[in-house]
Amino acid sequence: MSYSPVPERQRHSDGLLTHGARALTGALLVVAVTAVMWVLEFVDVATGGSLDRFGIEPHDVDDLPDILTAPFLHVGFGHLMSNTVPFLILGFLAAARGVGKFLAASLFIIVVGGLGVWFTSPVNTLGASILVFGFFGYLVGRGVFERHLLDILIAVAVVVLYGTTMLFGLLPSDPSISWQGHLFGLLGGLLASWVLRRRAR
């Protein structure tokens, strides 16, 4: 039986193509989700805020399914615009390594963040900041738990870019801003990074 080893240059080229395809797929997915959020906000404004009722109503058992819809709805375009850029940047960085893990991490963040809001928030809560803080926690946690050079560099970069903003977002300083969503979204991202980490061989 003959064996023809794959040249090192070809393996490197194939690896770059694979990573590039993953990054492109992740970027398209994040952009598509962002577009859906904008369409939903146009519908919400056009219907007099009819979609806001799908936010998280705390302590209402019948409202628990709205945990899955709340992160994609906003209270006006100002709210949506403040979340769009960090959602695109952090979402892309979280999705660039593979859509499967990104979707699993997003589900962790939505459920943990949503349940935290449901238990602790005093008011109806909605907005993508649950996911924004969750992606931040996921990227930082991935740098800590994966111990891969690229993950560490990304973690350092997002801390430098968003660390101060995230810290202030965790403080209960503005009653119109859900620090509960920020806190539990962040915890959901950290949990996802630990659960989804690559095990050492």
Side-chain angles (χ1 to χ4, degrees):
M1 179 182 294
S2 63
Y3 172 70
S4 300
V6 179
E8 180 66 27
R9 181 177 298 178
Q10 182 179 340
R11 287 203 302 270
H12 181 66
S13 177
D14 291 344
L16 288 176
L17 287 174
T18 299
H19 289 304
R22 288 176 180 172
L24 178 60
T25 302
L28 292 174
L29 176 59
V30 172
V31 169
V33 173
T34 305
V36 169
M37 290 193 294
W38 276 86
V39 170
L40 289 173
E41 191 55 33
F42 274 108
V43 173
D44 186 50
V45 170
T47 57
S50 64
L51 298 182
D52 292 347
R53 62 191 176 90
F54 294 105
I56 303 169
E57 192 65 42
H59 313 127
D60 183 352
V61 175
D62 294 333
D63 207 61
L64 278 173
D66 291 346
I67 285 173
L68 301 177
T69 58
F72 306 102
L73 302 171
H74 294 82
V75 185
F77 286 108
H79 185 203
L80 175 56
M81 284 188 286
S82 68
N83 282 327
T84 294
V85 173
F87 181 86
L88 286 169
I89 294 173
L90 296 174
F92 166 70
L93 291 173
R97 294 282 298 279
V99 169
K101 279 193 174 182
F102 171 72
L103 293 175
S106 298
L107 183 60
F108 263 97
I109 294 164
I110 289 171
V111 172
V112 173
L115 286 175
V117 168
W118 188 85
F119 277 109
T120 64
S121 178
V123 295
N124 190 323
T125 301
L126 62 165
S129 56
I130 290 176
L131 283 167
V132 169
F133 277 74
F135 293 153
F136 177 83
Y138 176 68
L139 291 168
V140 172
R142 202 166 65 180
V144 172
F145 299 125
E146 297 276 0
R147 298 181 182 178
H148 184 276
L149 178 59
L150 180 58
D151 291 319
I152 293 172
L153 292 176
I154 290 174
V156 171
V158 298
V159 168
V160 170
L161 288 174
Y162 291 106
T164 302
T165 302
M166 297 295 165
L167 178 61
F168 281 106
L170 299 176
L171 302 176
S173 56
D174 188 338
S176 66
I177 297 176
S178 174
W179 63 268
Q180 296 94 338
H182 298 172
L183 173 62
F184 288 102
L186 180 66
L187 293 176
L190 289 171
L191 177 63
S193 68
W194 183 78
V195 172
L196 300 173
R197 72 193 186 283
R198 288 173 295 188
R199 269 63 171 183
R201 293 181 179 178

